[in-house]
Amino acid sequence: MKKDYLKKTGRVIALALFFIFAVGPLYWIIVTSLKDTKEIYTFPIRYLPSSPSFDSYRKLFEFANFGLYFRNSFLVTTLGALGAMICSIFSGYALSRFSQKKIKKSLIMLLYFTQMVPTFILMTPLYMMMVKVGGIDSLLVLSIVYMVTVLAFCAIMAKSFFDRIPSSLEEAAEIDGCSASQSLFKIILPLMAPGLTAIFSFAFVNIWNELFIAILFISTPEKMTVPVSLNSFISKAGISWDVMSAGLVMALLPTMLIFAIGQKYIVSGLTDGGVKG
C-alpha cells in the first residue's frame, strides 16, 4: 500500500515538473510580449505584466516588417509541405504495393539512412550545387530544398498508411473496370485522408521552424523567413526582448494550429513508420 502511494506521488511530481518545464517557457514568452521595455528589466521580476500592452506587436508589424516575413514563411512552407505530400503519395504507394520484398526492404532502409545524415553535412555541397544552377536567394528553390529534406520520412509515413488499406479493394476495383490510377485516386486516396493530414502536418511543422538552410540560401532582407527574421533581432547592441517575444508568439500560432489538427495522425504515422518494415 505504501509502495503504491510512493509510486503515485513520484508520478505526480514527475508530471508536474514536466508540465512546468514544458509550459513555463511558453508562459514567459507570452508575458514578456505583453510587457513594456522598462518592465522587462524590472527587479524583482514581475510574473504578470502590470499594464498589459500590445505595443510590442505593433512594433513587430510596423517597424520590423514581420508581415512580409510571415507571408514568405507561409508561402515557402505550404509549397514545400504540399510538394512533399504529393511526392510521398506515389513513393509510399509504390513501396507499399511493391512485391519484391528484398528490394523493398533495401529501399526503406535507404530512406531511413538518409534520416541519419545530419543536415549541416549536406549544406556545403547543396549550396555549391545551387550556386552553379543559380538557385540562391529564391523562395521557390528554398521550398524545393525543404521538400527534399522532409520527403524521405514523409514517404515512410505514407507507406505505413498505405499498408493499412487492404489491396483487395484495388482488386475489386479492377474487376469493376478501374485502372490502377483510377483505383488509387478514387478509392485509396479518400481512405488516406487522415494519413495525408499527418504527412502535411509533419512536413509543415518541420519546414516552418527551419533556420539554417534559410540563412544559407536567402540573402535579400525582403525574402527572409520568420526564423531568420527572429534571428536578426539578436545584434551586438543587444536583444529587443519585447519584439522578439511577440514574434515568437506569432511564429508559434501556425504550428500550434497545424499540430492541433493533425497531432493524432502524426503520432500514429510516426509510430507505424518506426515499427513496420
Side-chain angles (χ1 to χ4, degrees), residues 88-99:
S88 66
I89 288 172
F90 296 104
S91 52
Y93 181 74
L95 283 171
S96 176
R97 298 299 190 254
F98 195 56
S99 57

Side-chain angles (χ1 to χ4, degrees), residues 71-85 87 126 130 135 137-151 203 207-208 210 213-214 217-218 223 225:
R71 190 200 67 182
N72 291 342
S73 257
F74 188 78
L75 179 69
V76 168
T77 305
T78 305
L79 283 176
L82 276 176
M85 185 185 73
C87 292
L126 193 60
M130 287 300 160
D137 206 25
S138 166
L139 291 177
L140 178 61
V141 172
L142 182 63
S143 67
I144 294 172
V145 172
Y146 279 147
M147 181 194 76
V148 173
T149 58
V150 298
L151 183 56
I207 294 174
W208 180 270
E210 203 286 326
I213 294 177
F217 279 80
I218 298 297
K223 293 181 180 177
T225 56

Side-chain angles (χ1 to χ4, degrees), residues 150-196:
V150 298
L151 183 56
F153 203 84
C154 288
I156 295 170
M157 288 180 70
K159 176 197 168 297
S160 70
F161 284 112
F162 277 118
D163 284 344
R164 294 179 180 181
I165 301 173
S167 57
S168 57
L169 286 176
E170 295 158 71
E171 292 167 4
E174 285 181 21
I175 292 173
D176 289 339
C178 281
S179 63
S181 58
Q182 285 176 326
S183 63
L184 172 63
F185 287 104
K186 293 185 177 179
I187 295 173
I188 303 301
L189 284 187
L191 298 174
M192 273 277 292
L196 297 179

